[in-house]
């Protein structure tokens, strides 16, 4: 079968672009640990106040030294605030929303998820060394969206 030269060039160029884009995805997954959320868990947003976990959102230590942070996003704040976690320990965030869709991003890190009413977004990160981070809402949620910020304090781990 005869394929025109220009057609052949375009076919190879299109195939090359596909490989480039696929490569970019695998590169970000491998090198920057950017992944889609993979945790599917539901929670009733209308009874959050009496929910055993999200009724009192807090940082809870586990026996192995890691911590679980339950976060409720609500127009226009995060709870708890500030969030205090130890450095160099696995920190599992469990985030939900009490009203509309919010975002939860620890600025400057890959800790980033959506806070969706009815769902629990969960991911685990480790912060190396103590420091302070800004937490920002990255989903437009209302007139004060730009003011919806929180603080994450990473403290030196206790011996
Ligand atoms: Cu909450 Cu934007």
């Amino acid at each position: 079968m005869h394929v025109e030269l220009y057609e052949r060039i375009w076919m190879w160029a299109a195939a090359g672009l596909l490989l480039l884009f696929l490569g970019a995805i695998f590169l970000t997954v491998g090198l920057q640990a950017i992944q889609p959320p993979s945790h599917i868990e539901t929670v009733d947003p209308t009874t959050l106040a009496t929910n055993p976990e999200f009724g009192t959102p807090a940082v809870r230590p586990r026996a192995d030294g890691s911590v679980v942070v339950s976060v409720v996003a609500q127009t226009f704040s995060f709870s708890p605030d500030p969030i205090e976690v130890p450095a160099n320990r696995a920190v599992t965030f469990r985030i939900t929303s009490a009203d509309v869709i919010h975002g939860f991003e620890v600025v400057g890190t890959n800790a980033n998820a959506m806070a969706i009413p009815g769902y629990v977004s969960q991911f685990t990160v480790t912060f190396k060394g103590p420091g302070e981070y800004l937490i920002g809402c990255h989903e437009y949620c209302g007139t004060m969206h730009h003011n919806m910020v929180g603080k994450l304090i990473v403290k030196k781990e206790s011996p």
Side-chain angles (χ1 to χ4, degrees):
M1 189 179 74
H2 177 71
V3 179
E4 289 291 332
L5 174 65
Y6 281 133
E7 201 167 349
R8 217 175 324 192
I9 291 172
W10 281 110
M11 280 163 58
W12 281 110
L17 280 178
L18 280 179
L19 284 177
L20 190 75
F21 296 152
L22 268 179
I25 291 173
F26 286 118
L27 213 67
T28 53
V29 166
L31 295 183
Q32 300 179 329
I34 293 173
Q35 302 148 4
S38 56
H39 183 80
I40 298 175
E41 181 182 338
T42 56
V43 64
D44 183 357
T46 62
T47 59
L48 270 193
T50 53
N51 182 285
E53 179 182 359
F54 293 103
T56 49
V59 181
R60 294 181 175 91
R62 286 195 282 219
D64 63 358
S66 65
V67 298
V68 179
V69 187
S70 309
V71 180
V72 173
Q74 190 164 15
T75 49
F76 297 98
S77 61
F78 298 101
S79 180
D81 184 30
I83 296 171
E84 290 190 15
V85 298
N88 300 310
R89 298 276 171 84
V91 178
T92 298
F93 286 96
R94 291 170 50 76
I95 307 159
T96 191
S97 167
D99 39 42
V100 298
I101 289 180
H102 297 279
F104 180 93
E105 179 189 10
V106 182
V107 177
T109 73
N110 70 340
N112 186 332
M114 286 171 78
I116 306 169
Y119 289 88
V120 179
S121 301
Q122 178 174 312
F123 60 86
T124 301
V125 288
T126 303
F127 298 98
K128 298 198 188 331
E132 276 193 25
Y133 296 86
L134 184 73
I135 298 169
C137 173
H138 58 66
E139 300 282 345
Y140 182 75
C141 52
T143 48
M144 294 300 276
H145 158 72
H146 61 286
N147 266 6
M148 184 162 172
V149 291
K151 192 194 269 185
L152 176 78
I153 301 171
V154 181
K155 294 165 85 171
K156 218 169 143 178
E157 58 191 309
S158 40

